[in-house]
């Protein structure tokens, strides 16, 4: 059983043990990511990710929740896999993070909800857009600033 402190708070490690157990048992978890590393695909506190267990081999483009070596939990997409190690990239980032061992991956996203609409992570639309976005990685800072500027005007 997860222990709560006197003020009712649960440590991230205890919370993740509970979540990991439920995901491994086949339950899905719908969470709203924080931060901006997945922008513009996911906007923190607005959009959501539906996480599921690792029921198939991971592949390029999969959005996953993993634990960094410092204990931080992150949701990013797989840029590539090399000799069993995973390399991740946030949608607003240009630097690839890795290697990340497969054991550090807690769950993968089955779908995401963006602006109230659900999209499957296995859809052709998502896979195609992800590959285009990977190709445009060096231009991301310029593209994101332009996108933010356009969105502010509307």
């Amino acid at each position: 059983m997860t222990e709560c402190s006197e003020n009712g708070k649960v440590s991230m490690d205890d919370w993740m043990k509970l979540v990991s157990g439920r995901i491994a048992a086949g339950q899905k978890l719908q969470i709203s990511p924080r931060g901006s590393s997945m922008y513009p695909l996911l906007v923190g506190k607005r959009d959501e990710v539906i996480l599921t267990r690792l029921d198939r081999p991971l592949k390029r483009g999969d959005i996953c929740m993993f634990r960094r070596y410092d204990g931080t939990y992150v949701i990013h997409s797989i840029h590539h896999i090399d000799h069993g190690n995973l390399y991740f990239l946030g949608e607003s980032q240009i630097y690839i993070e890795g290697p990340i061992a497969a054991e550090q991956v807690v769950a993968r996203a089955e779908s995401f909800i963006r602006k109230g609409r659900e999209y499957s992570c296995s859809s052709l639309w998502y896979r195609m857009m992800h590959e285009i976005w990977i190709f445009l990685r060096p231009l991301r800072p310029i593209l994101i600033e332009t996108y933010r500027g356009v969105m502010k005007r509307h």
Side-chain angles (χ1 to χ4, degrees), residues 60-77:
R60 177 182 169 105
D62 283 345
I63 298 172
C64 298
M65 175 186 273
F66 66 93
R67 185 177 186 185
R68 287 180 172 149
Y69 292 106
D70 69 0
T72 306
Y73 289 90
V74 180
I75 296 176
H76 283 168
S77 59

Side-chain angles (χ1 to χ4, degrees), residues 110 123 133 140:
E110 175 180 88
S123 72
W133 196 237
R140 284 181 181 185

Side-chain angles (χ1 to χ4, degrees), residues 52-104:
T52 190
R53 66 180 166 193
L54 303 172
D55 56 357
R56 63 164 176 74
L58 296 173
K59 59 186 177 184
R60 177 182 169 105
D62 283 345
I63 298 172
C64 298
M65 175 186 273
F66 66 93
R67 185 177 186 185
R68 287 180 172 149
Y69 292 106
D70 69 0
T72 306
Y73 289 90
V74 180
I75 296 176
H76 283 168
S77 59
I78 296 175
H79 180 271
H80 68 278
I81 301 170
D82 185 30
H83 294 85
N85 290 311
L86 304 164
Y87 294 80
F88 287 90
L89 184 64
E91 299 299 299
S92 67
Q93 299 176 322
I94 57 171
Y95 299 108
I96 299 167
E97 181 175 357
I100 302 294
E103 298 78 37
Q104 292 172 253

